[in-house]
Amino acid sequence: LTHKFVENLCAFFLYPGDRNSAEYRRLLNERWAMNKLKMNPATQQAMVRLADGFYRRLYPPEPEKENTPFDFGDHEFMREYMREAVKLFRAKAALPEHVFLVRAETGLHQTLHCLRARVAGSKIVRKFLPPRKDF
């Protein structure tokens, strides 16, 4: 993964504002532009739904929630995640980097689910992914 893609990923996970805002959609379009592609509206909506319904809960963007653990033992949450992932697939939202990321992420989340782990996701993202300079 390129540095620029990883930087975008961090911003995607920890975006502090409305996930349906023009700024957030610009962030998503930026990722597709790295591959010289344009994101279609169905993909954009699927990404916003996944980000708002899943990533906002797993990686709360508020600094005061950095140490708040996410409960991977929540069965309903994992079902919701899989439903949204299918919608994303149907929207043809896969970039080359997503193939690797989705496989790694799904495997990790399923393992954490089986362990009923509680993980402070924002703290990990902030520690290991480079922050963007624009927020």
Side-chain angles (χ1 to χ4, degrees):
L1 303 176
T2 67
H3 179 76
K4 190 172 181 176
F5 183 86
V6 172
E7 204 176 57
N8 179 278
L9 194 61
C10 180
F12 175 77
F13 287 152
L14 296 175
Y15 188 76
D18 179 3
R19 304 288 172 109
N20 203 25
S21 68
E23 177 60 24
Y24 192 71
R25 289 191 308 270
R26 185 200 59 76
L27 185 67
L28 291 173
N29 286 316
E30 180 182 291
R31 186 181 306 172
W32 265 252
M34 287 179 217
N35 287 291
K36 298 179 179 24
L37 298 171
K38 186 172 177 164
M39 182 186 296
N40 68 49
T43 298
Q44 192 172 76
Q45 275 308 109
M47 291 294 291
V48 166
R49 275 193 314 271
L50 189 65
D52 208 35
F54 182 71
Y55 291 116
R56 183 177 291 284
R57 290 165 60 189
L58 181 56
Y59 309 109
E62 301 84 5
E64 65 274 9
K65 293 183 180 179
E66 181 174 279
N67 293 312
T68 302
F70 177 79
D71 181 6
F72 279 95
D74 182 346
H75 297 292
E76 183 56 33
F77 182 82
M78 293 306 288
R79 278 192 289 276
E80 287 174 33
Y81 168 70
M82 294 310 291
R83 276 193 299 267
E84 288 302 320
V86 167
K87 289 176 188 174
L88 199 56
F89 174 75
R90 287 185 181 148
K92 299 180 182 359
L95 292 173
E97 296 88 351
H98 289 152
V99 175
F100 166 75
L101 287 173
V102 169
R103 287 180 151 219
E105 183 178 73
T106 303
L108 175 62
H109 293 164
Q110 287 297 328
T111 300
L112 294 171
H113 177 70
C114 289
L115 294 171
R116 295 190 174 147
R118 296 174 51 83
V119 179
S122 293
K123 186 174 186 175
I124 293 168
V125 168
R126 283 190 175 94
K127 182 176 180 179
F128 293 106
L129 292 179
R132 283 181 62 117
K133 294 164 185 57
D134 55 348
F135 60 84

